[in-house]
Amino acid sequence: ALAIEEEIPAVGIAVDDIAHAQPTAGGLLHRCFWILEIRDHRTGGIGVAEHDLARHPRSDFDVIHCIDPPLAKVLQHLRRIFRLRAQLLFTEGCAAPLQYYPRVSHIHHVAPVPFQQALAAGIPESYMTLFPVGLHTTRFATAASRQELRKKYGISDSTFLILVVSALERTFKRVDYIIEEVSHLEGDFLLWIDGHPEDPTVAELARHKLGSKCRITHVPTGDVPELYHSADVMVHASLNEAYGLA
């Protein structure tokens, strides 16, 4: 559980931002919120939710925050089972169709397009809050020079490095489109695709179209800044990003 202080209307703001929020000149911090944030939405999310809810007494928190639509629906049932007074806050970051929005206390949007679409569909503005995600620029810093990084990764200084940081898939990220376009280039270049290999046919397409001129990896998150500093350009082909993730 996370103890934070904020004004009561802050129910629509993301947890990490509330935790570092400062009081405004005209506002008074008059209530302490306890927020239970369930982040493990990829593996064992439901089990984590059951465990966290069962081990906390009802008075421990005011808000339960999650970002996974199926998990939000499960939490609705768990909230009734454990008779929790906590409000359920859901962050919409996956471009889910409106009919699949979970029935929660409040929805936090991180991108203007899904927020405007929800408003146009008749969802009350009082039920949602638009609060975009931020960017920790210091996390992209690296002490090594570009020349040092290229030497580390075995890339010549003369090679034009095209970087794609994205899951390897076709539907949303359109990595196949990037591969097709880059295959028309000539000269000394390298297409470096780094991300989760969701669709194996994308890697097959890259090998067929580009051969040794394409490198596919999934490096640890902490190493990604080095890729950015090594590249000449970063390319992203998705037409819409609900959560701003590349």
Side-chain angles (χ1 to χ4, degrees):
L2 173 68
I4 54 103
E5 288 186 340
E6 182 51 67
E7 297 181 57
I8 286 180
V11 68
I13 301 178
V15 171
D16 286 343
D17 294 300
I18 295 180
H20 299 93
Q22 299 297 322
T24 59
L28 295 176
L29 300 179
H30 59 275
R31 177 170 179 181
C32 178
F33 276 95
W34 284 90
I35 293 185
L36 175 67
E37 183 177 22
I38 299 174
R39 298 188 180 196
D40 191 1
H41 61 285
R42 292 170 297 178
T43 56
I46 294 176
V48 170
E50 291 177 339
H51 176 266
D52 283 342
L53 290 176
R55 69 189 179 91
H56 287 289
R58 282 179 289 173
S59 59
D60 264 7
F61 46 86
D62 298 272
V63 177
I64 302 172
H65 174 238
C66 72
I67 63 175
D68 186 66
L71 178 56
K73 293 186 177 182
V74 172
L75 285 170
Q76 295 175 47
H77 297 291
L78 294 179
R79 187 177 168 216
R80 288 195 294 268
I81 292 173
F82 293 109
R83 299 180 180 178
L84 300 174
R85 62 178 177 82
Q87 300 297 302
L88 187 56
L89 170 62
F90 169 69
T91 293
E92 158 53 16
C94 60
L98 297 175
Q99 63 267 31
Y100 296 123
Y101 275 22
R103 294 185 179 181
V104 295
S105 306
H106 201 82
I107 293 179
H108 162 223
H109 279 279
V110 295
V113 172
F115 178 69
Q116 293 299 330
Q117 290 175 341
L119 290 177
I123 298 179
E125 187 171 1
S126 60
Y127 181 61
M128 304 180 294
T129 298
L130 173 62
F131 198 89
V133 293
L135 178 66
H136 291 282
T137 56
T138 56
R139 294 185 180 179
F140 291 89
T142 177
S145 67
R146 172 182 157 124
Q147 187 175 22
E148 292 171 331
L149 291 173
R150 287 201 168 208
K151 183 178 180 180
K152 173 181 177 180
Y153 291 110
I155 302 172
S156 170
D157 290 339
S158 61
T159 299
F160 188 77
L161 179 55
I162 306 166
L163 176 65
V164 177
V165 179
S166 166
L168 273 73
E169 63 95 44
R170 299 169 180 264
T171 306
F172 295 107
K173 304 299 184 181
R174 304 201 310 153
V175 177
D176 58 317
Y177 173 76
I178 297 175
I179 294 170
E180 293 283 0
E181 291 298 305
V182 172
S183 68
H184 297 296
L185 297 177
E186 298 179 356
D188 183 12
F189 70 87
L190 174 67
L191 175 64
W192 190 340
I193 307 173
D194 184 77
H196 187 265
E198 296 184 7
D199 184 349
T201 66
V202 175
E204 294 173 6
L205 177 66
R207 285 191 290 268
H208 173 69
K209 290 284 186 177
L210 296 169
S212 62
K213 288 184 175 292
C214 182
R215 177 183 298 183
I216 298 177
T217 60
H218 191 196
V219 305
T221 301
D223 293 341
V224 173
E226 295 186 344
L227 307 190
Y228 283 115
H229 283 273
S230 302
D232 290 289
V233 294
M234 193 280 249
V235 179
H236 194 59
S238 67
L239 301 177
N240 182 32
E241 284 284 351
Y243 205 55
L245 297 177

